[in-house]
Amino acid sequence: MTTHGRSSCTSILIGKKASLDGSVIIGRNEDSRTAWPKHLAFHQRQAGAQTFKSHDNKFTIDLPEEAFAYSSTPEWTKKYGLFEEDGINEYHVAMSATESAYANERVLAIDPFDAEKGLLEEAMVTIVLPYVKTAQEGVKRLGEIVEKYGAAESNGILFADRDEAWYLEIGSGHHWVAQRIPDDSYTVVANQLSIQEIDFKDPANFLYSAGLQEFVYEHQLWPKEAKFNWREIFGTRSESDLHYNTPRVWYGQKLLTPSVKQEPQSFDLPFIQKADRPLSVQDAQTVLASHYSDTEYDLTNPKNAGQASFRPIGVATTQESHLLQLKGEDMYHWLAMGVTAQSVYIPFFPQGTKVPYMWGNGKVDYSPNSAYWIFKLAGVLVDRNWGKYGKELADAQTEAKEKVLRLRYEYDQKLHADPSQATAIADEANAKMAKTVTDIYNKLISSLITQQTGDSPLSFQMDPNL
């Protein structure tokens, strides 16, 4: 298997009774490199026989003849694969394929598969999302593909529809489990296998690969008399987890359930948690943008520069962050380009067909006509002195968020009033929201550059007495 330096992510899933307005919400940060642009894309319904061929290995699969319309966030280049990562299809099904989790090497060693021909993360959204009408259908389709072809890496995949959210984990080349997130609960997941006890007699809440139990017992990976704990069997308890993974889960739960006291390096943080209050999509955004604020681990604190104790949720390598929100006939593909803490989520309407200007642009080198690079440039300028310029960034973010929410409300009313014009209304809304935010950020960039002309180390002030 070949890669191009993909890193990690943090995910969140919220059940409809745990959310403030009855929405099902799933999303995550997509992390790879500090300069690796993403684009927004809208795919239209297609008919006819198609075959998917991986850009990264020899994985090939014949696809169903009908492909539904869907949104996605592909890479700037197809050289290493599509990596569409996330999106919502016309049947109100949302999907997000995470970066690979750390898998138990001993399990992979006894579950052989052909890595050169196995399913990669590159393909997951592309070969599943356009072909399913419910979250459970998505889980089952991907599960069948993993069982047949094998997976070239251990992954966690998020699914949702208007009624429920599911989280699927691949534990080895051919074995997987999926758990339905209880309606009144949420979960925060880092780069580690997280699902815990599996109830094989509860198909409404658990799905799994054929022969999973037999595989585990045959290879003596777990005692038959004990409760079947997926995390303990296929997951890890490494030193790396204590600094890289568990602290992110701890902080996400600390933000949403502060009443429960836990330790950042605990291996026993629960997969399923209940919030202390109803959760909004803004609460989910706060989690994905977080960097241990108001704790001793905050990386924006100058004393922690270059000596971080824990890997935060929001990092410089974030390419984009998305939240996929579904409620009744409403659906929003919230997208924040670049570093989440320095960007703004825009609630794009996935039923659109036209990608807003600058949201389909951007290569690996900076360019001013790319939405990704606009947000990255603002962040780079703020990074020169977060204490000095952080407030100006926060003010710009507040202005952008307020204007975007007003626009979303305005166009929601138009969509509800005339659903027959949904495509045209969505295209107009998406263009207007995108331009509003990028205009605000360009103004911020102009101000920061102007101010920073005075920050040069070559500055010299003559003593007035000379």
Side-chain angles (χ1 to χ4, degrees), residues 14 28 49 53 81 118 143 157 166 190 207 212 298 348 359 433 444:
I14 300 173
R28 66 183 181 89
K53 296 181 179 180
I157 301 91
W166 283 79
L207 297 170
L212 173 60
D298 189 356
F348 289 109
W359 291 78
M433 290 189 294
L444 169 65

Side-chain angles (χ1 to χ4, degrees), residues 369-418:
N369 68 339
S370 161
Y372 170 88
W373 278 114
I374 285 175
F375 291 105
K376 289 294 291 187
L377 176 56
V380 167
L381 293 171
V382 170
D383 284 343
R384 294 191 66 184
N385 191 329
W386 195 302
K388 183 176 181 180
Y389 302 114
K391 184 180 184 303
E392 192 165 353
L393 168 66
D395 289 344
Q397 289 175 308
T398 298
E399 180 186 1
K401 291 174 184 177
E402 290 176 350
K403 289 185 176 180
V404 159
L405 288 178
R406 285 198 293 268
L407 285 169
R408 187 193 72 164
Y409 178 80
E410 173 188 337
Y411 281 94
D412 270 339
Q413 306 313 303
K414 292 181 180 181
L415 283 169
H416 295 160
D418 192 0

Side-chain angles (χ1 to χ4, degrees), residues 87-99:
I88 302 175
N89 74 19
E90 62 183 283
Y91 282 94
H92 294 70
V93 179
M95 179 179 175
S96 178
T98 77
E99 315 294 346

Side-chain angles (χ1 to χ4, degrees), residues 21 47-48 76 85 100 132 145 169 203 210 237 252 257 272-273 290 296 304 310 378 400 415 454 456 462:
D21 63 353
W76 69 274
E85 296 301 311
S100 60
V132 298
I145 293 171
E169 290 186 327
R237 282 176 171 257
T257 315
I272 300 297
Q273 185 62 278
S290 66
E296 60 187 289
N304 290 326
F310 302 141
L415 283 169
S456 171
M462 177 71 77

Side-chain angles (χ1 to χ4, degrees), residues 1 10 19 32 81 114 134 163 167 215 228 241 245 254 265 283 293 315 322-323 340 386 389 403 443 450 456 462:
M1 184 184 78
T10 308
S19 70
S32 178
D114 189 342
T134 69
D163 294 314
Y167 185 64
F215 173 82
F228 195 97
D241 286 324
N245 293 319
K254 175 181 172 64
Q265 293 187 302
D283 289 317
S293 299
V315 287
H322 55 267
L323 285 161
T340 320
W386 195 302
Y389 302 114
K403 289 185 176 180
K443 183 179 178 182
T450 302
S456 171
M462 177 71 77

